[in-house]
Amino acid sequence: MNHQSRIEKRAPELKPVDYQLSFGEFIGVGPNGNLWVDGCDVADLANRFGTPLYIISENQLRHNYRAFRDAFRAEYPDVEILFANKSNNGLAIRHIMNTEGAGGDCFGAQEMYMALLAGTNPRTLVLNGSNKQEDELEMAIANGICVNIDAMDELDRIDEIAARLGVVADIGIRLKLDLEPLRERTGVAMHGPGTLKQQSDSTKWGMTREQTAEIVKRAIDMPNVQLRETHFHLSRMSNDPADFAVMAREMITWSGYLRDQTGWTPPCIDIGGGWTFGKWYGTGPNSQLDDKNAPTAEDYARLCCAAIKEEAERLGLPLPKLRLEPGRALSGPAGVAIGRVGAVKTGATRKWVNLDISTNHLSWAAVLDWYYHAVPVVDARAEGTETVDLVGSLCNSDEVGPHRKMPALERGDLVAFLDTGGYTESSAARYNAQLLPATVLVTGARAEVTTEREQMKDVAGRFRVPAHLLAASFAPAE
Ligand SMILES: *Cc1c(COP(=O)(O)O)cnc(C)c1O
């Protein structure tokens, strides 16, 4: 038995929970009518750990990972799932992924450091980034992490460091795919307005065909460098699996080009992240909610793997190993975020329900107009009777859930936002000198803090006052 299958054999068996009403396999309305995460009543968790609170279901995260892994394995001989660490880069999350045998996509020295600190097999990690720093490259190379090149001078920098350390550095190359078939396609304006091709062309990522051929030709002759993969990330600008299949096909087309130009055929293609997930109650960018019709891992796998196989056959290429880097699709549905109701205010035309959870904690609600479905924690199936704006306590309009049909809410009540396991904690902000929430990991009936709640010292502790300002207001210069 190889290493990977030994890890997978040791991973716990998952039995979805039978809820009154399910929001996921391990999140739903429990026996007492409250919202439960796995075997824990969320009202109890909020009382025990305080609010605002992030909750992650370990078993839901494992389930989401396995859904992607198994869907792609069913369609393709050699697949490796690299969790996009940035979507939730807590140490406990990384440990869970390790026990599943999942690799990881690291962005920057700190995420790489945390993945290594959590004991992730470095051969299953990749480093992505458009402006990699010297210490970042050295950390990757010293630990055997594949570096996806995204600048013309990166190869020489890697070669120099690898030679100095006396090691062979694994490298990949990030591509700027042509995406001609997506010239007229529009999606989820992630990178400004325009078609998918225009959006992709406008971002800083990836190397042109000529550039990649040049990098490959030079790398082949470098004894301290080993070419491993090509890489592309379509990002979440589309939630149509057909667009992802176009992308996957073009990865192989590019492999054919590299073979013809350089004699090197990529043994592995990494097709990045951007994979969505849907819920019957809707989630995602407000203009384009992902609901029960959203693509599943199976939809993606079927179309992408067929495209890869077809194009490889057409060009007479061997099937490469396939890597993908889902983030949000794995971590998103594994989390809920809890806020407690404070002031409730009725105006001439609106009613505002203030919460202690804000767009600091759910930043996508503000910057991407993201819809997180909100439910009351107690009596979670209660019918919505009035339309309110769920707002946080920051100095801006701070709308975490505008125009929501909710049951009557009063000071002290709890509200949960679903599917907040990805890009919430990892992109939380401290605006208005607010304290960042705690995170609790739920596993069955067990709940443990995995991120400590911030305290005043964490906010004030980084600031320094230069000597000449210390007592200046009492003793101004004459
Ligand atoms: C952000 C990112 C991902 C993950 O994206 P999701 O939308 O969370 O799946 C994967 N790979 C790269 C290179 C990324 O930048």
Side-chain angles (χ1 to χ4, degrees):
M1 207 190 310
N2 68 22
H3 184 64
Q4 181 69 22
S5 34
R6 265 203 308 277
I7 292 178
E8 287 177 19
K9 251 193 112 118
R10 274 205 307 262
E13 222 179 289
L14 300 178
K15 282 194 214 76
V17 180
D18 208 6
Y19 293 112
Q20 281 188 34
L21 178 68
S22 288
F23 299 122
E25 286 71 16
F26 294 91
I27 299 168
V29 179
N32 61 356
N34 290 357
L35 178 69
W36 285 53
V37 171
D38 205 341
C40 291
D41 182 337
V42 170
D44 290 344
L45 296 179
N47 292 334
R48 184 168 151 211
F49 296 104
T51 56
L53 185 67
Y54 295 131
I55 304 172
I56 298 287
S57 161
E58 174 176 345
N59 287 333
Q60 188 69 56
L61 181 64
R62 291 182 185 276
H63 176 92
N64 301 341
Y65 165 77
R66 290 180 199 180
F68 257 81
R69 180 196 67 190
D70 296 346
F72 275 82
R73 272 192 191 162
E75 301 287 339
Y76 203 82
D78 189 4
V79 181
E80 196 177 3
I81 307 288
L82 278 54
F83 174 58
N85 293 338
K86 71 180 181 198
S87 73
N88 191 326
N89 48 28
L91 277 178
I93 300 296
R94 196 49 252 177
H95 275 272
I96 293 167
M97 284 292 125
N98 292 352
T99 58
E100 290 290 332
D105 154 42
C106 307
F107 194 97
Q110 293 77 8
E111 275 188 5
M112 188 167 35
Y113 178 80
M114 288 199 288
L116 291 167
L117 198 61
T120 312
N121 175 2
R123 298 285 165 197
T124 67
L125 292 173
V126 294
L127 175 67
N128 286 308
S130 62
N131 186 28
K132 302 183 193 77
Q133 305 301 302
E134 209 64 15
D135 57 346
E136 186 180 344
L137 287 174
E138 182 158 336
M139 190 188 293
I141 294 164
N143 288 285
I145 293 173
C146 179
V147 180
N148 283 327
I149 288 181
D150 200 8
M152 266 328 258
D153 63 355
E154 223 172 291
L155 179 62
D156 284 317
R157 296 172 69 211
I158 291 169
D159 183 46
E160 186 274 316
I161 295 170
R164 176 159 50 78
L165 299 178
V167 297
V168 175
D170 285 352
I171 61 164
I173 309 174
R174 186 153 177 163
L175 312 182
K176 178 67 96 187
L177 293 183
D178 305 316
L179 299 179
E180 275 301 327
L182 306 184
R183 178 171 279 287
E184 306 294 334
R185 295 265 310 130
T186 53
V188 184
M190 279 297 296
H191 307 291
T195 66
L196 298 184
K197 175 168 170 55
Q198 284 168 336
Q199 287 190 52
S200 176
D201 286 350
S202 74
T203 62
K204 65 186 175 182
W205 304 103
M207 313 300 292
T208 66
R209 280 178 189 248
E210 295 70 27
Q211 288 168 335
T212 57
E214 188 183 328
I215 291 169
V216 169
K217 281 180 194 160
R218 296 193 54 229
I220 284 172
D221 292 327
M222 291 179 169
N224 292 96
V225 166
Q226 178 76 45
L227 282 158
R228 293 287 183 195
E229 66 173 35
T230 52
H231 177 277
F232 184 80
H233 168 59
L234 187 62
S235 97
R236 62 191 78 86
M237 65 185 175
S238 167
N239 49 9
D240 184 340
D243 296 333
F244 281 76
V246 166
M247 173 273 292
R249 181 185 303 273
E250 286 205 7
M251 292 293 290
I252 303 294
T253 315
W254 203 295
S255 294
Y257 168 82
L258 287 177
R259 175 197 58 187
D260 297 346
Q261 293 292 313
T262 71
W264 177 73
T265 306
C268 171
I269 61 167
D270 182 338
I271 59 176
W275 319 90
T276 197
F277 66 92
K279 292 289 182 151
W280 53 270
Y281 45 78
T283 180
N286 242 325
S287 56
Q288 201 160 351
L289 286 191
D290 280 321
D291 55 19
K292 62 181 184 342
N293 300 316
T296 62
E298 284 80 14
D299 297 330
Y300 283 128
R302 210 171 48 248
L303 270 69
C304 289
C305 296
I308 291 170
K309 288 177 188 166
E310 269 173 37
E311 187 68 356
E313 183 165 344
R314 188 179 76 82
L315 297 172
L317 290 168
L319 278 187
K321 172 178 178 163
L322 177 62
R323 278 178 157 175
L324 52 154
E325 304 171 335
R328 173 169 58 102
L330 308 192
S331 53
V336 298
I338 314 301
R340 198 179 282 279
V341 175
V344 177
K345 183 192 282 181
T346 306
T349 57
R350 280 171 183 248
K351 186 167 177 181
W352 296 274
V353 175
N354 280 262
L355 300 167
D356 60 3
I357 193 163
S358 69
T359 51
N360 270 2
H361 315 120
L362 297 172
S363 62
W364 278 15
V367 295
L368 295 176
D369 213 9
W370 209 264
Y371 175 88
Y372 294 112
H373 191 64
V375 295
V377 169
V378 172
D379 196 6
R381 297 178 73 172
E383 190 97 21
T385 51
E386 53 185 0
T387 300
V388 299
D389 285 351
L390 299 171
V391 294
S393 341
L394 302 184
C395 67
N396 49 36
S397 60
D398 204 16
E399 291 171 355
V400 281
H403 316 303
R404 298 305 176 86
K405 201 116 202 255
M406 299 295 287
L409 291 168
E410 299 175 3
R411 185 179 286 278
D413 287 347
L414 295 163
V415 174
F417 293 86
L418 306 180
D419 306 304
T420 53
Y423 299 96
T424 52
E425 178 173 0
S426 65
S427 53
R430 281 219 193 100
Y431 188 48
N432 284 157
Q434 298 288 299
L435 307 176
L436 295 177
T439 301
V440 166
L441 183 73
V442 167
T443 315
R446 202 180 333 147
E448 283 145 306
V449 172
T450 51
T451 307
E452 291 175 9
R453 185 177 299 285
E454 274 195 334
Q455 303 168 33
M456 277 309 293
K457 70 177 167 64
D458 301 313
V459 170
R462 288 174 55 242
F463 296 133
R464 295 188 192 186
V465 183
H468 73 280
L469 296 175
L470 279 170
S473 51
F474 298 107
E478 290 304 315

